[in-house]
Amino acid sequence: MFFCKRLLLRYIFFFFLLPVFQVAALYAQDNQKINSTELGDKTPQELVDLIKKATPDEREQYETALLNYPQQDLEIAKQYLQIGLFFYGEEEFEKCIVYLDKAITIANKLKEYKLLSKSYMIKGHSYLRAGDNQSALDAYYVALDIAKNQGDLEQQIITNSGLIIVLTRMNQSDKALEISRQMLKFIDKTSFKDTKNHVRILTTINDVYLDAEQYDSVLHYAEKGIAMSKLLDYKEGLVDLYIKKGMVFYHTKQYDQAFKYLLKAEDIVLNFDIPNQFFPKTNINYFLASCHYEKKEYDQAIEYLSKTLDSIEETDLDKMPVIQSHLLIANCYGEKKDLEKALYWHNKYLELNEEYQKNKDKTVSKIYTTEAEKLESEIESLKSKQIADKQSKTYVLIILIVISGAFVFVVFNYRKKQKKNTVLFQDLMQKIEALELREQQEGEQKEEVKEIIIDDIKVDEVLKGLSKLEATEYFLRSDCSLGSIAKKTKTNTTYLSKIIKMYKGKNFNSYINELRIDYVLRRLKNDKKFRSFSIVSIAKEIGYKSDNSFTKHFKAKTGLNPSYYIKKIEHMEEQLQS
C-alpha cells in the first residue's frame, strides 16, 4: 500500500507539478530579461538611486548598467562621482575607486577641472582610509595641482587636510605643520567658516599638533571645535575632538582627565549612529587601555584591546592603531607574567610593523621625489612644445642649458648633503668615543667632583640623586618625568627644575632627551642586535612614546636620521670585517 502511494505521488509530480515549475521558471527568466531591458531606459540618476536603495545582493545589475552606460558626458561623470561618494560612506573603498576612475576619465576629456580635482581628492581619501599611503599621496598631489591651477582655495584646503595625515604618518611633521598653519590662516576667507568642514579641518590639524607634541595647541583647537560641534549638533566631530583631548591628557599623565574625555567619546559612539566608526572605536579602545596599563590595571587594558583585536578584518592589519594595539596587549601579558601570550602578540606586532615600515619608507621616498618629478615633467612639456616650433632653436638651447643646470644643481646638492651627513657622522663617532673614554675615567672624575664645594646641602643631595638615577638609567623609563624624578630626589618640581637649569645648563626636557640620545647612540654603535630593531621598538626601548618623537630628538641632537646612522654603523662594521 505504501509503495502504491509513493508511485502515485511521483506520477502527480512528473505529469502535473513539474511542468508547472518549468513554466514558472521560464516566466521568471523572461521577466528578468524584461527587467534588464528596462534598465537600459533608466537615466544615470535613476540608476544611482536604485543602487543606493537596493540591498548589496540586488545592486549588481544596477551597477553593471551604470558602468556600461553608453553616453559619456558631464552628467554621467557627476553620477559616477556621486555613487563613488556613496560607496566611500559605506567603506567599500575598492568600489568607490572604480567609479571615481570612471569620473576622472570623462572629466579629463571634457576638461572639467573642478570635477577632476574633487574626484582625485576623494580617491586620495579612499586610499588613505584603506591604509594605502603611497596611492593616497599620488592622488592628493594631482588634486592639489589642479586646484592650485584653478585658484580654488577651498579645494586646496580640503585636499591638504588629507595630505597632512599622510605626511604625519610618514614622520614629515615639519611639512605637515607648515601646511596646517596655512590652512588655519585662510579658512576664515572661505565658506567653511563655522561649518562641519571647519570642524573636520580643526580635527585633522590637531593630529599634526599631537604628533609634534604641541599639546597646548591641541587643547586650544579642540575646545574651539567642540564648541562648533555642539552648536551644529555634529556628533562625529565631538567624538574625534573628545578623543584628541583624551590623548593629550594621557600623554601628560593626567589619566583621570583622559578617562573623562575618552568615555565621553565612547558614550556618543555607543548611543548614536556615527559613520566610519573603525578609527574612533580603535583609538578609544587603545587609549583607554593605555591609561589602564599605566595604572597597572592590566586586565581592564586587555579587555579594551580585545574589543579591537576580536573585530578587525584582514584589511585592517596595516593600520597603525591596530599595530600599536598588538604591541600594547603583548606588554600587558608581559606584566602579568603570561609569557606565552606575550610572545604570541609580540611576534604578531613585529610582523605587522615590519610590513608597515616597508610601505612607509616607499612613501617617504615619494614625498622627496615629487618636487623633482614635477620640475622634470614641466621641462619635458616645455621642451616638446619648443621643438614643435621650427623657429625655436634658441629656446631649445636655453632649455637644454636649464636642464643641464638643474641636473648639476641636483647632483651638487645631493653630494653636498651626503658630504655633510658623512662629516656629521664622523663628528658624532668622535663624540661617542670621547663619551666612552670619559666613562672609563669615571673614578678620576668622581674625585674631581668631591673637590667642588657646594654650599647648599640640599643642592648637593639633589645632584647626587640625579647622578644615581643616571647611573641606573632611570631616564629610559617611559614614566620618567619631572614629577617622578623630584620624588626620587626628595624635592619639589620647581626646585628640581631650577637645579637642572643651573647645574646641567638646560631645561628638564632637554636634559632627559640628551641622556636618551647619548645612550642610544652608544648602544646602536656597540649592540648589533639592538640595531636590528625597528625604529618604533628602539623608541619604546629608550622611553619615547612614539617613533616620531624619537626621530625628531635624534635629528635635533645629531643632524642625522636614526635609520641613516644605523646604516652607516652597519657599513663601518662590514668594512672592518672584510
Side-chain angles (χ1 to χ4, degrees), residues 525-536:
K525 176 176 174 283
N526 300 314
D527 187 343
K528 186 175 179 65
K529 185 178 179 182
F530 190 54
R531 290 198 298 272
S532 69
F533 288 8
S534 68
I535 299 298
V536 175

Side-chain angles (χ1 to χ4, degrees), residues 141 175 366-378:
Y141 275 134
K175 287 179 181 289
K366 181 69 177 180
I367 291 168
Y368 282 124
T369 57
T370 297
E371 312 305 330
E373 286 176 356
K374 277 194 221 172
L375 176 63
E376 185 181 343
S377 175
E378 288 168 7

Side-chain angles (χ1 to χ4, degrees), residues 283-348:
N283 282 325
I284 289 168
N285 290 338
Y286 177 79
F287 283 101
L288 283 170
S290 295
C291 290
H292 282 299
Y293 177 82
E294 294 296 337
K295 297 183 78 169
K296 304 188 187 306
E297 297 165 353
Y298 305 119
D299 288 329
Q300 292 95 317
I302 290 168
E303 185 180 343
Y304 275 109
L305 292 167
S306 296
K307 288 181 184 179
T308 295
L309 298 174
D310 290 345
S311 63
I312 57 173
E313 299 177 4
E314 189 71 25
T315 53
D316 299 325
L317 292 173
D318 59 352
K319 297 178 175 67
M320 184 46 70
V322 173
I323 297 171
Q324 289 174 322
S325 296
H326 282 76
L327 179 61
L328 184 56
I329 200 168
N331 290 340
C332 289
Y333 280 118
E335 294 293 343
K336 284 168 61 69
K337 309 303 179 190
D338 188 340
L339 299 182
E340 185 178 346
K341 287 183 179 177
L343 185 62
Y344 169 80
W345 287 109
H346 192 258
N347 286 336
K348 295 282 282 183

Side-chain angles (χ1 to χ4, degrees), residues 91 187 298 471 502 513:
E91 299 187 22
I187 195 167
Y298 305 119
M502 183 177 294
N513 284 319

Side-chain angles (χ1 to χ4, degrees), residues 345-571:
W345 287 109
H346 192 258
N347 286 336
K348 295 282 282 183
Y349 159 74
L350 289 176
E351 290 171 16
L352 296 174
N353 188 58
E354 184 179 1
E355 188 61 30
Y356 177 83
Q357 293 298 332
K358 285 179 187 175
N359 294 331
K360 180 175 173 180
D361 289 343
K362 289 177 187 173
T363 310
V364 170
S365 174
K366 181 69 177 180
I367 291 168
Y368 282 124
T369 57
T370 297
E371 312 305 330
E373 286 176 356
K374 277 194 221 172
L375 176 63
E376 185 181 343
S377 175
E378 288 168 7
I379 290 171
E380 286 298 322
S381 175
L382 183 59
K383 183 180 175 182
S384 298
K385 288 177 184 177
Q386 298 294 344
I387 290 172
D389 186 351
K390 292 180 182 179
Q391 301 176 349
S392 62
K393 291 182 181 179
T394 305
Y395 294 107
V396 172
L397 182 60
I398 292 170
I399 290 165
L400 290 172
I401 292 169
V402 170
I403 293 170
S404 301
F407 178 75
V408 170
F409 178 75
V410 169
V411 171
F412 174 75
N413 272 352
Y414 175 78
R415 288 182 177 173
K416 185 178 176 183
K417 186 177 179 182
Q418 289 296 101
K419 188 175 180 182
K420 181 184 175 185
N421 283 342
T422 303
V423 170
L424 284 170
F425 178 76
Q426 290 170 349
D427 184 51
L428 195 55
M429 295 306 294
Q430 289 176 0
K431 288 179 181 177
I432 293 169
E433 287 169 7
L435 193 61
E436 289 173 339
L437 181 62
R438 190 178 68 191
E439 287 180 349
Q440 289 172 6
Q441 297 170 343
E442 188 177 352
E444 295 175 14
Q445 287 181 336
K446 282 183 179 177
E447 289 177 9
E448 289 176 11
V449 170
K450 286 178 183 177
E451 293 176 4
I452 298 172
I453 299 170
I454 300 177
D455 296 330
D456 190 337
I457 297 171
K458 185 63 181 174
V459 171
D460 189 23
E461 289 174 354
V462 171
L463 289 173
K464 285 179 180 176
L466 286 174
S467 295
K468 286 180 182 177
L469 292 174
E470 287 178 22
T472 58
E473 296 176 346
Y474 181 78
F475 54 86
L476 297 179
R477 293 176 50 161
S478 61
D479 60 351
C480 172
S481 65
L482 186 65
S484 65
I485 290 182
K487 287 180 182 177
K488 297 273 184 188
T489 54
K490 298 178 182 177
T491 186
N492 59 56
T493 55
T494 303
Y495 197 52
L496 176 61
S497 184
K498 287 181 179 178
I499 290 173
I500 291 172
K501 185 75 175 174
M502 183 177 294
Y503 290 93
K504 302 292 182 180
K506 52 185 75 71
N507 62 34
F508 174 77
N509 286 334
S510 298
Y511 167 64
I512 294 298
N513 284 319
E514 188 168 303
L515 288 172
R516 286 175 175 175
I517 301 304
D518 282 345
Y519 168 86
V520 82
L521 284 168
R522 282 174 286 152
R523 187 168 171 191
L524 286 169
K525 176 176 174 283
N526 300 314
D527 187 343
K528 186 175 179 65
K529 185 178 179 182
F530 190 54
R531 290 198 298 272
S532 69
F533 288 8
S534 68
I535 299 298
V536 175
S537 298
I538 293 170
K540 297 278 185 187
E541 184 81 9
I542 63 171
Y544 289 107
K545 293 195 179 293
S546 73
D547 57 332
N548 296 341
S549 182
F550 164 55
T551 301
K552 180 177 73 176
H553 292 300
F554 189 98
K555 192 166 185 179
K557 167 83 173 173
T558 66
L560 303 171
N561 283 318
S563 55
Y564 178 86
Y565 176 73
I566 291 168
K567 286 176 185 175
K568 291 291 284 185
I569 292 288
E570 291 286 350
H571 181 64

Side-chain angles (χ1 to χ4, degrees), residues 101-264:
D101 282 338
K102 296 282 281 186
I104 286 167
T105 301
I106 299 169
N108 247 326
K109 288 178 182 176
L110 300 176
K111 301 191 187 312
E112 289 288 340
Y113 296 113
K114 191 171 185 68
L115 179 64
L116 191 61
S117 179
K118 188 171 183 180
S119 299
Y120 270 113
M121 179 195 70
I122 302 300
K123 191 176 177 181
H125 290 347
S126 300
Y127 281 125
L128 184 69
R129 294 278 308 285
D132 187 346
N133 297 319
Q134 177 63 71
S135 298
L137 190 73
D138 292 338
Y140 284 139
Y141 275 134
V142 175
L144 203 55
D145 281 344
I146 298 167
K148 283 179 179 177
N149 289 334
Q150 297 302 305
D152 190 337
L153 184 59
E154 292 187 354
Q155 190 65 32
Q156 288 178 57
I157 289 174
I158 298 175
T159 305
N160 275 326
S161 69
L163 180 61
I164 62 176
I165 295 175
V166 181
L167 293 171
T168 303
R169 286 181 181 179
M170 299 304 112
N171 294 342
Q172 305 301 305
S173 300
D174 292 342
K175 287 179 181 289
L177 275 172
E178 183 183 341
I179 295 170
S180 299
R181 291 184 184 115
Q182 289 295 318
M183 290 166 69
L184 289 168
K185 183 179 176 182
F186 291 114
I187 195 167
D188 287 347
K189 298 178 182 178
T190 68
S191 63
F192 297 156
K193 184 174 169 60
D194 297 331
T195 66
K196 288 182 180 181
N197 271 335
H198 196 160
V199 177
R200 291 187 191 106
I201 289 162
L202 289 175
T203 303
T204 304
I205 287 170
N206 259 350
D207 283 321
V208 182
Y209 283 113
L210 264 171
D211 183 67
E213 299 179 19
Q214 296 186 17
Y215 299 132
D216 289 342
S217 295
V218 178
L219 294 176
H220 169 74
Y221 290 115
E223 282 301 325
K224 191 174 180 180
I226 287 167
M228 276 187 215
S229 297
K230 287 179 178 177
L231 287 172
L232 297 165
D233 193 28
Y234 182 37
K235 304 297 184 192
E236 190 177 354
L238 276 177
V239 168
D240 282 339
L241 292 163
Y242 282 145
I243 292 171
K244 298 291 188 293
K245 289 192 75 171
M247 290 166 71
V248 168
F249 289 120
Y250 163 73
H251 286 304
T252 55
K253 304 186 186 302
Q254 300 176 64
Y255 301 121
D256 290 339
Q257 285 288 88
F259 277 126
K260 175 183 171 182
Y261 287 103
L262 292 168
L263 291 172
K264 276 187 176 185

